[in-house]
Amino acid sequence: MNVQGFSHVTINVKNLARSLRFYVDILNMKLVHRGRKDAYLEWGSAWICLQERPDMEDQCPQIGVDHVAFFIDEQHFWEAVQHLKANHVPIVRGPTQRGRGLSVNFLDPDGTQLELHTSTLAERMKVWK
């Protein structure tokens, strides 16, 4: 397989309209397409799909993806943390130094954990050597 890179993440949500208010209005993701039960958003070079699944029961603890991390330049990190706090977004870890980068983990309206992180994979691996 000749994979070129990461494509996207699909996140199941209970209420698409509520989730769009969070992802578009608070996180400032760009809405590219909205369907009846899904929406596609861009955030820098990353893109995600929100898929409305109100029939899914809460699955805690859930096996699978622990969180989704997005890269943010360190010069914008503290401004982003203040933005999350000002919008009463639940922060579940950090802000903290992780490896050689800064990190903050927070929750979307359905409890999906997202992370903003300032280091690259190469920088993280320097810590693990």
Side-chain angles (χ1 to χ4, degrees), residues 4-53:
Q4 299 296 307
F6 183 79
S7 177
H8 69 282
V9 171
T10 297
I11 300 174
N12 291 322
V13 300
K14 292 178 185 172
N15 182 297
L16 185 59
R18 177 183 71 176
S19 293
L20 282 172
R21 285 191 297 275
F22 176 78
Y23 284 91
V24 173
D25 297 344
I26 294 176
L27 298 186
N28 297 318
M29 290 186 182
K30 178 184 172 191
L31 179 62
V32 176
H33 166 79
R34 180 174 180 176
R36 215 171 39 82
K37 296 284 184 181
D38 63 2
Y40 290 83
L41 305 129
E42 281 185 317
W43 212 20
S45 63
W47 61 284
I48 67 167
C49 173
L50 299 178
Q51 179 174 262
E52 188 174 63
R53 299 287 306 269

Side-chain angles (χ1 to χ4, degrees), residues 4-124:
Q4 299 296 307
F6 183 79
S7 177
H8 69 282
V9 171
T10 297
I11 300 174
N12 291 322
V13 300
K14 292 178 185 172
N15 182 297
L16 185 59
R18 177 183 71 176
S19 293
L20 282 172
R21 285 191 297 275
F22 176 78
Y23 284 91
V24 173
D25 297 344
I26 294 176
L27 298 186
N28 297 318
M29 290 186 182
K30 178 184 172 191
L31 179 62
V32 176
H33 166 79
R34 180 174 180 176
R36 215 171 39 82
K37 296 284 184 181
D38 63 2
Y40 290 83
L41 305 129
E42 281 185 317
W43 212 20
S45 63
W47 61 284
I48 67 167
C49 173
L50 299 178
Q51 179 174 262
E52 188 174 63
R53 299 287 306 269
D55 55 324
M56 291 186 74
E57 294 184 24
D58 291 340
Q59 299 172 357
C60 293
Q62 177 181 343
I63 300 298
V65 175
D66 179 71
H67 68 279
V68 179
F70 296 92
F71 176 79
I72 186 169
D73 192 277
E74 192 167 327
Q75 72 182 13
H76 302 293
F77 180 79
W78 291 108
E79 180 183 341
V81 169
Q82 289 307 105
H83 182 76
L84 293 171
K85 289 179 178 180
N87 284 281
H88 309 288
V89 175
I91 294 176
V92 295
R93 184 174 64 188
T96 187
Q97 184 83 29
R98 294 206 54 217
R100 294 194 175 176
L102 298 169
S103 173
V104 64
N105 291 58
F106 55 97
L107 301 177
D108 80 354
D110 290 303
T112 299
Q113 191 172 154
L114 306 172
E115 177 184 4
L116 296 177
H117 193 86
T118 65
S119 73
T120 63
L121 177 61
E123 291 167 333
R124 165 113 1 139

